Amino acid sequence: MRNKLKKAFQSLNGGLFEASDKADVGSSYTDLANDGVDLMGWADPFTPDFSLPEHVLNKAIETLKGPLAAHYTAPSGNEELKAVIAKRLKEKNHLDVDPQRNILITPGSDSGLFYAVFPFIEPGDEVLVPSPSYPNNFTNVTLNNGILVPILLKEENGYQLDIEEFEKHVTNKTKMVILTHPNNPTTTVYNRQSLEALSQFIIKHDLILVCDQAFEDFTYDHEMITPASLPGMFERTVTVFSASKGMGFSGFRVGFNVCSDVFMDAMLAATVSVLGATSTMAQISMIEAYQDSSFMKVFEEAFDRRRKKAYEIINSIPHVHMLLPESGFLCWVDVSELGNSNDIYQYLIKEAKVACNEGSFYGPGGEGHLRIVLGIYRDDEKVYDALYRIKDALSKYTQK
Ligand SMILES: Cc1ncc(COP(=O)(O)O)c(C=O)c1O
């Protein structure tokens, strides 16, 4: 009966009948935790430890005890939350939007991202996706019967965008560019030069930009520019946001999409049949979190310490290197001189008791790399201990 599925679905592997090494698929990954393996592959801040700030926890409990939690909000989201978000968008992202017309609250940015691509891609439309990048960028194109056109990012350019590469791949079928900014897995915060050149390219070829900014909250010493705020870009961009990474609310499932009246009108008309609505309790808790977001500073300081420590430990391993992470709590490690990254991924599970992510899941350019999530656990020392185990194991691998 598998052949009854649409072609794009036939090749998917959810880990139900055969093991999948992809970190967020199937049960094989969580089974590793039961064997005492540190899971450094889930981009979920401080997982599995408690991380909810006290005032948000109290608001969530108060909401659960009240009359609202069990009921729907409007499909587009809680009005007060949208007003708080609009204020933040103005201050942080230089986007001046009408909260009632340009913001759609989503049950997390994964659904937001799919929903940003879905209204645009018809069979045969080509979509340019810088690679390596977030695997859902690739799946969202193929699930919509679009044609994926990866644009290779290069370490020697600091993984910044090379618009000449985009120009080489654009055709009269190109419809969209999907950008993960800051990028996951490379952590690159695209700089002004990259983004201005990209916006000119998009306008010149009359394309749509879907820009996923799930990791925008911690960009350390790098300027975070929202492409939709650049001249001529708001009307052709859908920007996707998340509360999962910067606030550590992945389990609450809240994100939001921001776009022009024209796109939002069509999305809103379909929202009730596609996304339904986002958890009422989670949305009310988010208002509280935005009203006092000082806890994010504590998160940022921890991730900043960890990225610097990881840079020092990983770069002290012979034949292995990484760039200093520019954002968030990931690191992208080049192990290509040691051998095949899938072998190394498997070896680290056995030898170092650490499961990270195998680079090839992040598309062309990913092979030969590992993604390591530095954001896990509250305690820095547990993360450093796992990194030292990786170092010891990879040093032996070199000697082999
Ligand atoms: C780049 C990027 N975008 C979106 C998501 C989805 O996050 P959520 O659905 O929790 O908002 C993730 C999660 O790992 C991500 O890494």
Side-chain angles (χ1 to χ4, degrees):
M1 295 302 273
R2 203 170 176 99
N3 64 358
K4 297 281 185 216
L5 290 165
K6 285 163 78 173
K7 281 213 169 53
F9 282 75
Q10 286 180 21
S11 55
L12 296 179
N13 164 14
L16 193 57
F17 308 117
E18 44 189 294
S20 170
D21 290 338
K22 189 171 178 286
D24 38 11
V25 163
S27 59
S28 48
Y29 198 71
T30 40
D31 289 346
L32 292 171
N34 301 331
D35 294 339
V37 173
D38 286 314
L39 302 184
M40 300 185 92
W42 263 351
D44 183 351
F46 304 118
T47 187
D49 295 335
F50 187 82
S51 62
L52 208 54
E54 190 78 12
H55 64 300
V56 181
L57 173 66
N58 290 339
K59 191 66 179 180
I61 294 171
E62 182 193 313
T63 309
L64 284 173
K65 287 184 174 165
L68 295 178
H71 304 292
Y72 290 126
T73 62
S76 64
N78 175 298
E79 295 207 354
E80 194 186 341
L81 176 58
K82 289 195 285 181
V84 173
I85 288 173
K87 190 164 165 280
R88 254 178 94 85
L89 287 170
K90 194 166 182 178
E91 288 163 9
K92 277 190 58 175
N93 304 88
H94 305 294
L95 293 178
D96 199 353
V97 304
D98 180 337
Q100 297 314 324
R101 299 172 75 98
N102 307 116
I103 299 173
L104 168 67
I105 309 292
T106 61
S109 66
D110 268 335
S111 55
L113 187 58
F114 181 82
Y115 200 46
V117 175
F118 182 48
F120 296 100
I121 299 306
E122 303 201 76
D125 283 344
E126 293 175 8
V127 181
L128 306 179
V129 183
S131 181
S133 79
Y134 187 48
N136 290 12
N137 295 339
F138 312 128
T139 325
N140 287 341
V141 174
T142 49
L143 290 183
N144 283 296
N145 295 315
I147 296 170
L148 179 68
V149 183
I151 307 288
L152 206 61
L153 299 168
K154 298 190 189 111
E155 188 190 326
E156 60 262 34
N157 300 337
Y159 297 110
Q160 290 290 332
L161 306 174
D162 176 355
I163 299 305
E164 276 178 27
E165 284 301 308
F166 282 73
E167 289 286 3
K168 277 187 211 155
H169 291 87
V170 71
T171 73
N172 59 6
K173 292 196 179 137
T174 309
K175 181 85 169 269
M176 175 183 280
V177 174
I178 306 181
L179 193 68
T180 302
H181 167 52
N183 197 14
N184 168 5
T186 63
T187 75
T188 315
V189 182
Y190 294 112
N191 60 26
R192 185 169 288 280
Q193 195 189 344
S194 280
L195 293 174
E196 285 181 351
L198 179 71
S199 67
Q200 283 154 17
F201 168 84
I202 284 176
I203 293 168
K204 174 172 147 198
H205 294 285
D206 191 21
L207 308 178
I208 300 298
L209 173 67
V210 168
C211 185
D212 172 0
Q213 301 191 181
F215 276 98
E216 71 168 8
D217 289 307
F218 307 138
T219 54
Y220 311 110
D221 28 13
H222 299 270
E223 182 189 18
M224 176 65 206
I225 299 167
T226 298
S229 70
L230 297 176
M233 286 302 288
F234 186 70
E235 68 191 57
R236 50 180 73 245
T237 304
V238 181
T239 312
V240 178
F241 296 89
S242 174
S244 296
K245 312 299 178 185
M247 294 190 155
F249 291 163
S250 56
F252 273 28
R253 311 307 302 136
V254 186
F256 52 97
N257 283 6
V258 175
C259 57
S260 70
D261 285 8
V262 175
F263 293 165
M264 190 58 86
D265 190 42
M267 284 195 200
L268 285 183
T271 298
V272 74
S273 30
V274 180
L275 297 176
T278 300
S279 153
T280 301
M281 181 279 291
Q283 291 190 67
I284 293 174
S285 304
M286 283 305 303
I287 300 168
E288 189 69 21
Y290 279 128
Q291 266 152 7
D292 174 5
S293 56
S294 51
F295 63 97
M296 290 171 72
K297 196 79 208 138
V298 180
F299 288 14
E300 181 172 13
E301 283 164 7
F303 300 147
D304 193 18
R305 280 193 300 276
R306 293 175 188 193
R307 77 183 173 121
K308 289 175 181 154
K309 188 76 175 174
Y311 181 72
E312 181 195 311
I313 297 172
I314 299 290
N315 284 322
S316 70
I317 308 170
H319 308 291
V320 173
H321 74 274
M322 61 177 270
L323 302 181
L324 181 65
E326 295 184 5
S327 63
F329 45 79
L330 311 172
C331 63
W332 184 238
V333 181
D334 186 335
V335 290
S336 57
E337 280 184 43
L338 292 184
N340 173 289
S341 49
N342 191 42
D343 292 346
I344 295 170
Y345 161 80
Q346 302 286 358
Y347 166 80
L348 285 177
I349 292 175
K350 290 200 184 71
E351 190 67 28
K353 290 248 167 214
V354 171
C356 43
N357 305 109
E358 208 275 274
S360 59
F361 287 114
Y362 300 87
E367 215 300 300
H369 293 76
L370 300 174
R371 190 190 78 158
I372 304 177
V373 178
L374 305 171
I376 62 163
Y377 300 129
R378 266 328 287 232
D379 181 359
D380 290 354
E381 291 306 321
K382 282 173 120 175
V383 177
Y384 300 159
D385 183 60
L387 288 171
Y388 279 119
R389 293 202 314 271
I390 292 175
K391 175 178 170 165
D392 289 347
L394 289 185
S395 303
K396 278 195 255 164
Y397 200 84
T398 313
Q399 285 154 19
K400 274 184 189 173

